[in-house]
Amino acid sequence: MTKLSVNINKIATLRNARGGNNPNVLAVARDAELFGAQGITVHPRPDERHIRYQDVRELKPQITTELNIEGNPIDSFTKLVLEVIPTQVTLVPDSNDQLTSNHGWNTLENKTFLSDICRTFKQAGIRTSIFVDPEPKMVEGAKACGADRVELYTEPYASGYKANREAAIAPFIAAAEEARRVGLGLNAGHDLSLENLHYYHQLIPWTDEVSIGHALICDALYMGLRETIKQYLQALK
């Protein structure tokens, strides 16, 4: 079964826009689990423009499913992850001022760095995933770095879905098959939505987890969080 991990960054963005604690990030995380989500994802950035480091600390004891922390493993991020000990850490090559993730790691050029950081997290008992573009050689490189999983960066699939979904999914099938061949777990995330998720899952049903935030929170504005999560789970059946 493919698990749905709900990224709650956008909830924190809304809270931070006004100050105070409305909406309550912890309450939304608990409700997302109550409504059927099998994980919660957060992506704290150095400027804390949405999820704050303290949010992550407070979330950990509240989560009853899986906590996935995404981010660039700079020193402050690494220290936070080792303090909190989530179920999974996802390594993403973001710059400090990046609006959103827009590419995966070059696991060949960054092999030494990624191998060291994978070793550090795995020694702490944390499942480690590397965010990669849908290229078999980058998947194979992640395996060589000691990762447990890869997360495929799915924006190119989402942006090409309407024009030609068969062409859009093709490189992801190749990368997913490589992950299966080398024995890596498989995640996916970025711009997956109710429009394109079911087709993706139909063709790559061995995906372990999808992490979805922006589209899911946008849908929840119209349908409510409970119904939205229900529909995303249905898309994964």
Side-chain angles (χ1 to χ4, degrees):
M1 184 183 73
T2 301
K3 292 182 177 181
L4 171 65
S5 185
V6 174
N7 187 318
I8 59 171
N9 274 22
K10 288 298 185 294
I11 300 300
T13 300
L14 183 59
R15 176 200 62 188
N16 296 352
R18 189 66 179 264
N21 195 34
N22 188 25
N24 186 309
V25 170
L26 300 184
V28 171
R30 290 193 297 267
D31 285 341
E33 291 183 314
L34 178 65
F35 300 154
Q38 295 112 341
I40 299 296
T41 291
V42 291
H43 190 145
R45 297 177 187 274
D47 62 7
E48 297 194 321
R49 64 181 181 268
H50 33 63
I51 286 291
R52 299 167 181 155
Y53 277 34
Q54 187 57 31
D55 291 330
V56 181
R57 296 185 181 98
E58 294 174 1
L59 272 168
K60 175 59 191 303
Q62 301 289 328
I63 300 302
T64 60
T65 55
E66 293 192 351
L67 177 61
N68 171 44
I69 305 179
E70 299 179 340
N72 192 342
I74 60 175
D75 287 346
S76 59
F77 177 87
T78 300
K79 290 177 182 177
L80 176 69
V81 173
L82 292 175
E83 173 189 347
V84 171
I85 310 294
T87 308
Q88 177 176 270
V89 59
T90 301
L91 311 181
V92 183
D94 286 338
S95 60
N96 288 352
D97 58 352
Q98 197 161 317
L99 179 63
T100 187
S101 307
N102 61 15
H103 66 284
W105 286 97
N106 185 321
T107 57
L108 306 180
E109 293 181 0
N110 295 281
K111 181 179 179 180
T112 299
F113 171 73
L114 291 171
S115 296
D116 288 345
I117 197 69
C118 283
R119 187 179 307 110
T120 295
F121 288 140
K122 290 178 70 174
Q123 286 175 347
I126 304 168
R127 187 173 71 227
T128 304
S129 178
I130 298 180
F131 194 65
V132 297
D133 295 321
E135 301 176 25
K137 64 181 180 180
M138 295 306 163
V139 173
E140 185 179 17
K143 175 68 173 181
C145 291
D148 300 297
R149 293 186 182 182
V150 287
E151 179 174 326
L152 299 183
Y153 169 54
T154 49
E155 191 279 333
Y157 163 71
S159 62
Y161 178 83
K162 285 185 179 180
N164 188 334
R165 66 181 189 176
E166 291 82 6
I169 196 70
F172 291 88
I173 295 173
E177 288 176 342
E178 179 66 11
R180 184 162 59 175
R181 185 188 73 82
V182 299
L184 282 175
L186 182 65
N187 298 341
H190 207 91
D191 287 350
L192 293 173
S193 67
L194 287 176
E195 177 183 35
N196 59 47
L197 178 60
H198 183 65
Y199 181 73
Y200 186 95
H201 186 253
Q202 274 188 315
L203 273 69
I204 313 176
W206 62 95
T207 302
D208 291 298
E209 173 189 289
V210 293
S211 174
I212 305 178
H214 185 80
L216 189 151
I217 300 303
C218 289
D219 290 334
L221 292 175
Y222 291 91
M223 297 188 292
L225 188 61
R226 184 193 299 270
E227 178 62 23
T228 297
I229 290 175
K230 178 182 176 181
Q231 291 198 26
Y232 275 87
L233 291 171
Q234 184 65 36
L236 292 170
K237 290 185 178 178

PDB file of all heavy atoms in Angstrom, residues 148-163:
ATOM      1  N   ASP A 148      18.213   4.678   2.081  1.00  0.00           N
ATOM      2  CA  ASP A 148      17.204   3.629   2.195  1.00  0.00           C
ATOM      3  C   ASP A 148      16.152   3.756   1.100  1.00  0.00           C
ATOM      4  O   ASP A 148      15.601   2.760   0.648  1.00  0.00           O
ATOM      5  CB  ASP A 148      16.500   3.706   3.553  1.00  0.00           C
ATOM      6  CG  ASP A 148      17.457   3.534   4.710  1.00  0.00           C
ATOM      7  OD1 ASP A 148      18.067   2.455   4.814  1.00  0.00           O
ATOM      8  OD2 ASP A 148      17.596   4.486   5.511  1.00  0.00           O
ATOM      9  N   ARG A 149      15.886   5.007   0.707  1.00  0.00           N
ATOM     10  CA  ARG A 149      14.879   5.291  -0.303  1.00  0.00           C
ATOM     11  C   ARG A 149      15.326   6.446  -1.190  1.00  0.00           C
ATOM     12  O   ARG A 149      16.267   7.173  -0.844  1.00  0.00           O
ATOM     13  CB  ARG A 149      13.532   5.670   0.340  1.00  0.00           C
ATOM     14  CG  ARG A 149      12.850   4.559   1.102  1.00  0.00           C
ATOM     15  CD  ARG A 149      11.458   5.013   1.565  1.00  0.00           C
ATOM     16  NE  ARG A 149      10.783   3.972   2.345  1.00  0.00           N
ATOM     17  CZ  ARG A 149       9.562   4.077   2.836  1.00  0.00           C
ATOM     18  NH1 ARG A 149       8.858   5.187   2.617  1.00  0.00           N
ATOM     19  NH2 ARG A 149       9.019   3.094   3.522  1.00  0.00           N
ATOM     20  N   VAL A 150      14.625   6.611  -2.302  1.00  0.00           N
ATOM     21  CA  VAL A 150      14.701   7.848  -3.071  1.00  0.00           C
ATOM     22  C   VAL A 150      13.295   8.436  -3.127  1.00  0.00           C
ATOM     23  O   VAL A 150      12.297   7.710  -3.072  1.00  0.00           O
ATOM     24  CB  VAL A 150      15.219   7.638  -4.508  1.00  0.00           C
ATOM     25  CG1 VAL A 150      16.705   7.351  -4.513  1.00  0.00           C
ATOM     26  CG2 VAL A 150      14.445   6.550  -5.242  1.00  0.00           C
ATOM     27  N   GLU A 151      13.236   9.761  -3.222  1.00  0.00           N
ATOM     28  CA  GLU A 151      11.972  10.424  -3.527  1.00  0.00           C
ATOM     29  C   GLU A 151      12.112  11.055  -4.904  1.00  0.00           C
ATOM     30  O   GLU A 151      12.990  11.896  -5.121  1.00  0.00           O
ATOM     31  CB  GLU A 151      11.622  11.502  -2.501  1.00  0.00           C
ATOM     32  CG  GLU A 151      10.310  12.203  -2.847  1.00  0.00           C
ATOM     33  CD  GLU A 151       9.834  13.180  -1.792  1.00  0.00           C
ATOM     34  OE1 GLU A 151      10.062  12.925  -0.590  1.00  0.00           O
ATOM     35  OE2 GLU A 151       9.227  14.202  -2.167  1.00  0.00           O
ATOM     36  N   LEU A 152      11.253  10.658  -5.819  1.00  0.00           N
ATOM     37  CA  LEU A 152      11.295  11.195  -7.170  1.00  0.00           C
ATOM     38  C   LEU A 152      10.619  12.560  -7.199  1.00  0.00           C
ATOM     39  O   LEU A 152       9.502  12.734  -6.705  1.00  0.00           O
ATOM     40  CB  LEU A 152      10.599  10.243  -8.142  1.00  0.00           C
ATOM     41  CG  LEU A 152      11.201   8.838  -8.261  1.00  0.00           C
ATOM     42  CD1 LEU A 152      10.444   8.039  -9.323  1.00  0.00           C
ATOM     43  CD2 LEU A 152      12.683   8.884  -8.587  1.00  0.00           C
ATOM     44  N   TYR A 153      11.308  13.528  -7.805  1.00  0.00           N
ATOM     45  CA  TYR A 153      10.809  14.898  -7.949  1.00  0.00           C
ATOM     46  C   TYR A 153       9.801  14.928  -9.093  1.00  0.00           C
ATOM     47  O   TYR A 153      10.167  14.832 -10.265  1.00  0.00           O
ATOM     48  CB  TYR A 153      11.990  15.836  -8.209  1.00  0.00           C
ATOM     49  CG  TYR A 153      11.623  17.230  -8.631  1.00  0.00           C
ATOM     50  CD1 TYR A 153      10.754  18.017  -7.879  1.00  0.00           C
ATOM     51  CD2 TYR A 153      12.173  17.777  -9.785  1.00  0.00           C
ATOM     52  CE1 TYR A 153      10.442  19.303  -8.263  1.00  0.00           C
ATOM     53  CE2 TYR A 153      11.866  19.069 -10.184  1.00  0.00           C
ATOM     54  CZ  TYR A 153      11.002  19.828  -9.418  1.00  0.00           C
ATOM     55  OH  TYR A 153      10.690  21.105  -9.810  1.00  0.00           O
ATOM     56  N   THR A 154       8.521  15.042  -8.752  1.00  0.00           N
ATOM     57  CA  THR A 154       7.462  14.781  -9.724  1.00  0.00           C
ATOM     58  C   THR A 154       6.906  16.022 -10.427  1.00  0.00           C
ATOM     59  O   THR A 154       5.936  15.911 -11.187  1.00  0.00           O
ATOM     60  CB  THR A 154       6.300  14.022  -9.052  1.00  0.00           C
ATOM     61  OG1 THR A 154       5.937  14.683  -7.823  1.00  0.00           O
ATOM     62  CG2 THR A 154       6.689  12.584  -8.766  1.00  0.00           C
ATOM     63  N   GLU A 155       7.502  17.179 -10.233  1.00  0.00           N
ATOM     64  CA  GLU A 155       7.002  18.370 -10.930  1.00  0.00           C
ATOM     65  C   GLU A 155       6.995  18.205 -12.446  1.00  0.00           C
ATOM     66  O   GLU A 155       6.006  18.603 -13.103  1.00  0.00           O
ATOM     67  CB  GLU A 155       7.802  19.605 -10.532  1.00  0.00           C
ATOM     68  CG  GLU A 155       7.202  20.926 -11.003  1.00  0.00           C
ATOM     69  CD  GLU A 155       7.509  21.252 -12.463  1.00  0.00           C
ATOM     70  OE1 GLU A 155       8.550  20.773 -12.968  1.00  0.00           O
ATOM     71  OE2 GLU A 155       6.709  21.989 -13.083  1.00  0.00           O
ATOM     72  N   PRO A 156       8.050  17.631 -13.067  1.00  0.00           N
ATOM     73  CA  PRO A 156       8.002  17.454 -14.526  1.00  0.00           C
ATOM     74  C   PRO A 156       6.832  16.568 -14.980  1.00  0.00           C
ATOM     75  O   PRO A 156       6.262  16.801 -16.046  1.00  0.00           O
ATOM     76  CB  PRO A 156       9.352  16.804 -14.847  1.00  0.00           C
ATOM     77  CG  PRO A 156      10.248  17.225 -13.726  1.00  0.00           C
ATOM     78  CD  PRO A 156       9.367  17.250 -12.519  1.00  0.00           C
ATOM     79  N   TYR A 157       6.493  15.569 -14.183  1.00  0.00           N
ATOM     80  CA  TYR A 157       5.331  14.736 -14.493  1.00  0.00           C
ATOM     81  C   TYR A 157       4.051  15.564 -14.413  1.00  0.00           C
ATOM     82  O   TYR A 157       3.209  15.530 -15.322  1.00  0.00           O
ATOM     83  CB  TYR A 157       5.256  13.554 -13.535  1.00  0.00           C
ATOM     84  CG  TYR A 157       3.907  12.883 -13.498  1.00  0.00           C
ATOM     85  CD1 TYR A 157       3.450  12.122 -14.571  1.00  0.00           C
ATOM     86  CD2 TYR A 157       3.060  13.044 -12.394  1.00  0.00           C
ATOM     87  CE1 TYR A 157       2.199  11.519 -14.545  1.00  0.00           C
ATOM     88  CE2 TYR A 157       1.813  12.443 -12.349  1.00  0.00           C
ATOM     89  CZ  TYR A 157       1.381  11.691 -13.434  1.00  0.00           C
ATOM     90  OH  TYR A 157       0.139  11.106 -13.416  1.00  0.00           O
ATOM     91  N   ALA A 158       3.904  16.330 -13.337  1.00  0.00           N
ATOM     92  CA  ALA A 158       2.693  17.119 -13.151  1.00  0.00           C
ATOM     93  C   ALA A 158       2.531  18.174 -14.244  1.00  0.00           C
ATOM     94  O   ALA A 158       1.423  18.380 -14.758  1.00  0.00           O
ATOM     95  CB  ALA A 158       2.713  17.784 -11.771  1.00  0.00           C
ATOM     96  N   SER A 159       3.606  18.825 -14.612  1.00  0.00           N
ATOM     97  CA  SER A 159       3.512  19.887 -15.612  1.00  0.00           C
ATOM     98  C   SER A 159       3.243  19.335 -17.008  1.00  0.00           C
ATOM     99  O   SER A 159       2.664  20.019 -17.856  1.00  0.00           O
ATOM    100  CB  SER A 159       4.796  20.731 -15.619  1.00  0.00           C
ATOM    101  OG  SER A 159       5.917  19.942 -15.969  1.00  0.00           O
ATOM    102  N   GLY A 160       3.643  18.087 -17.273  1.00  0.00           N
ATOM    103  CA  GLY A 160       3.429  17.496 -18.585  1.00  0.00           C
ATOM    104  C   GLY A 160       2.203  16.612 -18.678  1.00  0.00           C
ATOM    105  O   GLY A 160       1.882  16.107 -19.759  1.00  0.00           O
ATOM    106  N   TYR A 161       1.485  16.464 -17.565  1.00  0.00           N
ATOM    107  CA  TYR A 161       0.396  15.495 -17.499  1.00  0.00           C
ATOM    108  C   TYR A 161      -0.727  15.789 -18.501  1.00  0.00           C
ATOM    109  O   TYR A 161      -1.187  14.890 -19.210  1.00  0.00           O
ATOM    110  CB  TYR A 161      -0.164  15.451 -16.081  1.00  0.00           C
ATOM    111  CG  TYR A 161      -1.327  14.512 -15.900  1.00  0.00           C
ATOM    112  CD1 TYR A 161      -1.121  13.160 -15.678  1.00  0.00           C
ATOM    113  CD2 TYR A 161      -2.643  14.980 -15.947  1.00  0.00           C
ATOM    114  CE1 TYR A 161      -2.181  12.288 -15.511  1.00  0.00           C
ATOM    115  CE2 TYR A 161      -3.712  14.115 -15.785  1.00  0.00           C
ATOM    116  CZ  TYR A 161      -3.478  12.774 -15.567  1.00  0.00           C
ATOM    117  OH  TYR A 161      -4.539  11.920 -15.404  1.00  0.00           O
ATOM    118  N   LYS A 162      -1.166  17.033 -18.574  1.00  0.00           N
ATOM    119  CA  LYS A 162      -2.300  17.362 -19.438  1.00  0.00           C
ATOM    120  C   LYS A 162      -1.967  17.176 -20.913  1.00  0.00           C
ATOM    121  O   LYS A 162      -2.793  16.697 -21.690  1.00  0.00           O
ATOM    122  CB  LYS A 162      -2.753  18.794 -19.177  1.00  0.00           C
ATOM    123  CG  LYS A 162      -3.529  18.975 -17.891  1.00  0.00           C
ATOM    124  CD  LYS A 162      -4.054  20.392 -17.768  1.00  0.00           C
ATOM    125  CE  LYS A 162      -4.857  20.569 -16.504  1.00  0.00           C
ATOM    126  NZ  LYS A 162      -5.382  21.970 -16.356  1.00  0.00           N
ATOM    127  N   ALA A 163      -0.767  17.558 -21.312  1.00  0.00           N
ATOM    128  CA  ALA A 163      -0.393  17.500 -22.723  1.00  0.00           C
ATOM    129  C   ALA A 163      -0.203  16.071 -23.208  1.00  0.00           C
ATOM    130  O   ALA A 163      -0.675  15.698 -24.285  1.00  0.00           O
ATOM    131  CB  ALA A 163       0.870  18.322 -22.966  1.00  0.00           C
TER     132      ALA A 163
END
